[in-house]
Amino acid sequence: MYCIAIDLGGTIIKIGLVKGDEILEFTSFPAETDGLGSNLASMEAIINRLLSKWKVPKEEFSGVGLAFPGMVNPKEKKVTSTNDKYDDACDIDLSSWVYKNWEVAFIIDNDARLALAGEWHFGAGKDCRNMVMMTIGTGIGTGVVLDGRIINGNHYQAGSLGGHIIVDYRGRRCTCGNIGCVEAMASSFFLPEIIRTHPKISNEYKVKATHYDFKTLFGLMRQGEAEATLLCKECMDVWAAAIINYIHAYDPEIIVMGGGIMRSADIILPYIKERVDRLVWAPEYKVKIKPSLLGDNAALLGISYTLSTIKKEKYYEQIL
Ligand SMILES: [Zn+2]
């Protein structure tokens, strides 16, 4: 069966035609920044082009799935809360949009949870019964498999707010309104502020704060540059603290780390592993910490897997 998988990134929208664990073709384009509504026409055109180019027969088209960077109720197929991205999405009936255009099933979930589904079934967490995935991009997203099931919770928030657990209650104000979240203390979004407010960082660095991203900083750390090393180490300490919290909360056998940051996995993984092993309270085992195998494709493949589990007749009974 074929499906269309849409990954709504903060700045880029990625749409792929997927069959099982294979992405046959994908297109990425810069998102219009004034909401989801103004992107729907472009999305529609790309989906139609992919379906006709690959001559997808209607009976082999299982559905459309969407990975959303915010809180989602996958059962009601609704976005429930946004954070400065696609803020109109709560009011858009995406299920009807899909049904009107293609008459197929529609699924929607939090982007990090779908990336977890991808890594669990096709990637680094294959055959695991307990895993946590942490995706460090502009923000930080997480998803959790507990005893062989992806956890959802009462409001579908369980496991997905790992970027907003508190690592410093006296720390920086986060975009979510709380104080000292992992995301506020060590993410790309907050990096300029982290540099500007750091007491041990020089003014030459501070005036160029917006020029630095983690790729640059880890590159400088590799050359032995002192200030970049300090900044990178402090951020890795925050991520390690978050991972220790996840281990204490969920008792996983593996932590999978994904996102753009993994381009510097050669520095990040050994550093975090050493710190986690030394500080975590898990006497009987060492938790594996592995990089994502699917990279940017994790959410698209997670959608493909999730759609393959839907019982079609039951699905249409629900929506019609
Ligand atoms: Zn937060």
Side-chain angles (χ1 to χ4, degrees), residues 163-164 174-179 181-184:
H164 299 273
C174 183
T175 51
C176 73
N178 210 332
I179 292 162
C181 302
V182 183
E183 199 168 296

Side-chain angles (χ1 to χ4, degrees), residues 145-172:
V145 175
L146 196 67
D147 297 332
R149 292 180 74 128
I150 295 178
I151 60 168
N152 286 309
N154 214 20
H155 305 91
Y156 297 93
Q157 292 177 211
S160 58
L161 290 179
H164 299 273
I165 57 163
I166 316 298
V167 284
D168 180 358
Y169 75 93
R170 288 180 291 201
R172 185 173 293 111

